[in-house]
Amino acid sequence: MRSIVVHMQTTLDGRIAGADGQFWEPFPWGEPESAYLNGFFRQADTWAMSRVMYDAIVPWWETVARGDLPDDVTELGPADREFAQLLAGMRKVVFSRSRPGALSGDLVAGLRGLDGRIVLSAGPATLGPLLDADGLVDELLLAVHPVVLGEGPGLFDHATAGRALRLVESRPFDGGAVVLRYAAGTGSPR
């Protein structure tokens, strides 16, 4: 049975990037946070994401999976190395209008047609419409960082329908990040 879990990193004010489109600093994330999230990725067989996210994330982790260090780090812990191996073993689905072989057109129908346990990482232009589709997204897994940016793309910028969520778990970490798990109910909030 298909299950879709949306995983996103966000700031306290709901931004997924700065006004320039780049990740924010500082990004307090360490071994305990990575190890915790690996538990969710271990259960997944597919990682679906936009072309922009794919291009920013996957090549970096593929370098780690090959046993190399990307140019922007000097060392990685065991949880990061495990994540790289988990990612290497997953099917990747890319949303793009221009990339050959990517999922394009009606993303809702395309995702409904996939099977397995899917982790979805999507930007606000994709995430909003997918959340608007009743019954498509089963869970939100949000890593909220102790940063306020004030501007930049917001997590739910393109959502047009209200959505009731039920908190399943909250896990604070010493570095200040909190991981929140929400079951995505159907219908509008009360």
Side-chain angles (χ1 to χ4, degrees):
M1 180 174 164
R2 177 194 46 77
S3 174
I4 296 181
V5 177
V6 173
H7 166 61
M8 292 296 298
Q9 305 274 341
T10 183
T11 62
L12 194 57
D13 61 340
R15 306 297 175 187
I16 62 165
D20 61 358
Q22 301 298 310
F23 284 121
W24 58 90
E25 292 293 336
F27 192 89
W29 196 256
E31 190 75 11
E33 293 88 343
S34 294
Y36 178 78
L37 283 183
N38 283 354
F40 295 95
F41 279 87
R42 265 187 230 109
Q43 300 170 35
D45 57 10
T46 303
W47 194 3
M49 68 203 84
S50 69
R51 181 197 52 80
V52 171
M53 293 193 80
Y54 180 93
D55 291 344
I57 295 170
V58 173
W60 195 95
W61 286 108
E62 286 176 341
T63 299
V64 175
R66 287 191 307 269
D68 298 326
L69 280 177
D71 294 336
D72 60 343
V73 296
T74 56
E75 66 178 288
L76 292 171
D80 286 331
R81 293 190 183 283
E82 178 190 16
F83 180 78
Q85 294 307 313
L86 292 169
L87 175 63
M90 292 176 138
R91 168 179 60 168
K92 284 106 177 149
V93 175
V94 180
F95 312 136
S96 173
R97 289 185 207 110
S98 60
R99 185 184 198 106
L103 183 60
S104 63
D106 186 346
L107 295 182
V108 171
L111 284 170
R112 286 191 199 276
L114 296 175
D115 60 357
R117 184 156 168 86
I118 300 160
V119 174
L120 171 66
S121 297
T126 307
L127 178 58
L130 295 179
L131 278 176
D132 288 347
D134 266 344
L136 180 66
V137 173
D138 299 296
E139 185 175 313
L140 295 178
L141 179 63
L142 304 177
V144 181
H145 296 272
V147 177
V148 174
L149 294 179
E151 60 182 343
L155 187 59
F156 301 110
D157 280 354
H158 296 271
T160 59
R163 176 69 51 218
L165 303 173
R166 181 178 50 83
L167 182 65
V168 174
E169 181 181 9
S170 64
R171 173 76 193 273
F173 291 91
D174 290 343
V178 178
V179 175
L180 302 169
R181 287 181 54 216
Y182 290 97
T186 57
S188 62
R190 298 186 205 304

